Amino acid sequence: MLFRGVRKIIGNTNNVSEYMPTLKDIRIRLKGIKSTQQVTKAMKMVAAAKLRRAQDRAIQARPYAGKLKEMLASLSTKVDTSLNPLLSPREEVKKVLVILVTSDRGLCGGFNANIIKMAQRVIHEDYAALHAKGDVTMICAGTKGTEFFRKRGYNLTAAYPAVFQNLSFDSAREIADTASKMYLSGEVDRVLLVYNEFKSVLSPNLRTEQLLPIAPEESAEKGASSEYLYEPSPAAIIDELVPKHLHTQMWRVMLESNAAEQAARMGAMDSATENAKELIRLLNISYNRARQAAITKELSEIVAGADALKQ
């Protein structure tokens, strides 16, 4: 994007004679690029500061969410899972709910575009038949995803734009409760999470997970190695843990997405700063060539005038 505008000013650097901009044009362009570079550098620093806090919160949430899932896996081996509808898978999946987590703002590279493409792939490939019948609904957390799918006529059950402006556990709990009510009422038979998991500054991890029905068998081996004493009873405790598990998992997902967003923004602003640096270098070359051409032209005119006076 930054390179696009400079070609109008400097033209082809390999053949400058095709178009020689004036010195004033280049100075104006240089001033604009330098201002842009200052902005992108400042945004990179802000994103780096936010990333540190977001990363700490995401990492701190992982052990609690993991241990809660492990306990639920252990409990599920001791009770009849059919007693809790949130643990009981449906015989046939006729309706699906996709919870998509994006950011509220742009300027973060391909962060939103990649996760939106993944959500579309899940809807149009994994559940194409259900989508064709209008049986795939969505909950969008984040402005970018909400705007994208709302404009294209997707079935949005609920939307939470600007949720990351003031990220709180209450927002995660509200989204999880909405999904739980839809599952319990039979409006949907499966709930999926699509989000960016924070892996590292350089590479976020696109994730699709099943939120409902809860599938503790995925971590049953891990949970089987731990033995617990339950009071009052496994069934009573599991009824208490299931809502907490859903709230915690949704909160973890939003923290992961927030950290991945800040990492993506920091990388995008770093690339923009480097692009601006390269543009400034090219414009300086063009400026020096234009200045040299102007001086040569003036010298030629002086020599020609002197020859004319002699004649």
Side-chain angles (χ1 to χ4, degrees):
M1 185 175 179
L2 288 172
F3 278 104
R4 196 181 303 156
V6 75
R7 288 178 182 150
K8 296 180 181 179
I9 298 297
I10 65 174
N12 186 349
T13 55
N14 296 325
N15 188 5
V16 183
S17 60
E18 291 182 4
Y19 173 69
M20 184 62 68
T22 64
L23 295 176
K24 183 179 179 181
D25 290 338
I26 299 176
R27 281 197 298 268
I28 292 172
R29 187 61 180 169
L30 269 171
K31 184 178 179 181
I33 295 296
K34 287 179 179 178
S35 299
T36 302
Q37 186 184 39
Q38 291 177 351
V39 172
T40 56
K41 186 181 291 186
M43 291 183 69
K44 175 189 171 183
M45 295 174 65
V46 171
K50 289 183 177 181
L51 171 62
R52 180 64 182 272
R53 295 193 296 269
Q55 182 180 351
D56 290 343
R57 295 175 73 185
I59 292 174
Q60 289 170 6
R62 288 175 183 174
Y64 180 78
K67 181 58 71 172
L68 198 58
K69 188 173 183 179
E70 180 183 333
M71 290 182 63
L72 204 56
S74 177
L75 280 163
S76 65
T77 63
K78 296 175 173 60
V79 298
D80 183 6
T81 56
S82 63
L83 297 177
N84 191 308
L86 295 177
L87 291 172
S88 305
R90 305 282 166 79
E91 293 182 0
E92 184 180 359
V93 177
K94 298 179 179 179
K95 296 181 180 181
V96 174
L97 172 66
V98 177
I99 301 177
L100 173 66
V101 184
T102 59
S103 70
D104 289 329
R105 299 187 296 121
L107 298 176
C108 47
F111 176 84
N112 291 306
N114 292 336
I115 198 64
I116 285 173
K117 286 180 182 178
M118 187 171 188
Q120 288 182 303
R121 187 162 58 249
V122 169
I123 294 171
H124 293 282
E125 295 181 9
D126 298 346
Y127 299 99
L130 296 180
H131 176 64
K133 294 187 293 184
D135 291 331
V136 177
T137 57
M138 297 186 71
I139 293 178
C140 291
T143 303
K144 292 299 180 179
T146 300
E147 292 178 348
F148 181 90
F149 286 100
R150 182 172 284 165
K151 287 179 181 178
R152 286 158 180 79
Y154 284 76
N155 186 10
L156 266 64
T157 299
Y160 299 86
V163 69
F164 289 98
Q165 298 297 326
N166 185 21
L167 185 58
S168 66
F169 185 77
D170 291 338
S171 300
R173 181 167 51 197
E174 184 178 350
I175 295 172
D177 287 344
T178 300
S180 299
K181 290 176 183 177
M182 292 180 67
Y183 186 82
L184 291 172
S185 65
E187 293 180 54
V188 295
D189 302 311
R190 182 174 293 167
V191 180
L192 300 175
L193 288 168
V194 182
Y195 68 100
N196 280 288
E197 182 183 45
F198 178 75
K199 185 177 180 182
S200 68
V201 175
L202 298 177
S203 58
N205 188 26
L206 302 178
R207 296 276 294 175
T208 301
E209 296 178 2
Q210 180 174 304
L211 182 66
L212 288 171
I214 298 171
E217 64 273 9
E218 295 177 0
S219 57
E221 294 181 2
K222 185 177 178 182
S225 61
S226 302
E227 290 295 332
Y228 302 96
L229 296 176
Y230 301 104
E231 181 66 31
S233 67
I237 295 175
I238 207 169
D239 289 339
E240 183 71 21
L241 283 184
V242 165
K244 291 182 182 296
H245 168 75
L246 295 176
H247 298 159
T248 303
Q249 292 303 321
M250 193 66 228
W251 176 236
R252 177 189 62 82
V253 165
M254 295 180 75
L255 290 178
E256 295 279 358
S257 180
N258 187 42
E261 175 195 348
Q262 300 306 329
R265 181 168 291 109
M266 188 179 72
M269 291 301 100
D270 181 60
S271 297
T273 302
E274 291 301 315
N275 288 345
K277 183 178 179 181
E278 177 64 15
L279 287 178
I280 291 171
R281 185 186 70 81
L282 293 175
L283 283 169
N284 280 326
I285 292 173
S286 182
Y287 181 83
N288 291 334
R289 287 179 177 176
R291 185 168 176 270
Q292 184 180 11
I295 293 173
T296 302
K297 182 179 179 181
E298 290 178 2
L299 288 174
S300 299
E301 290 174 353
I302 291 172
V303 171
D307 291 340
L309 288 175
K310 287 180 181 179
Q311 295 175 1

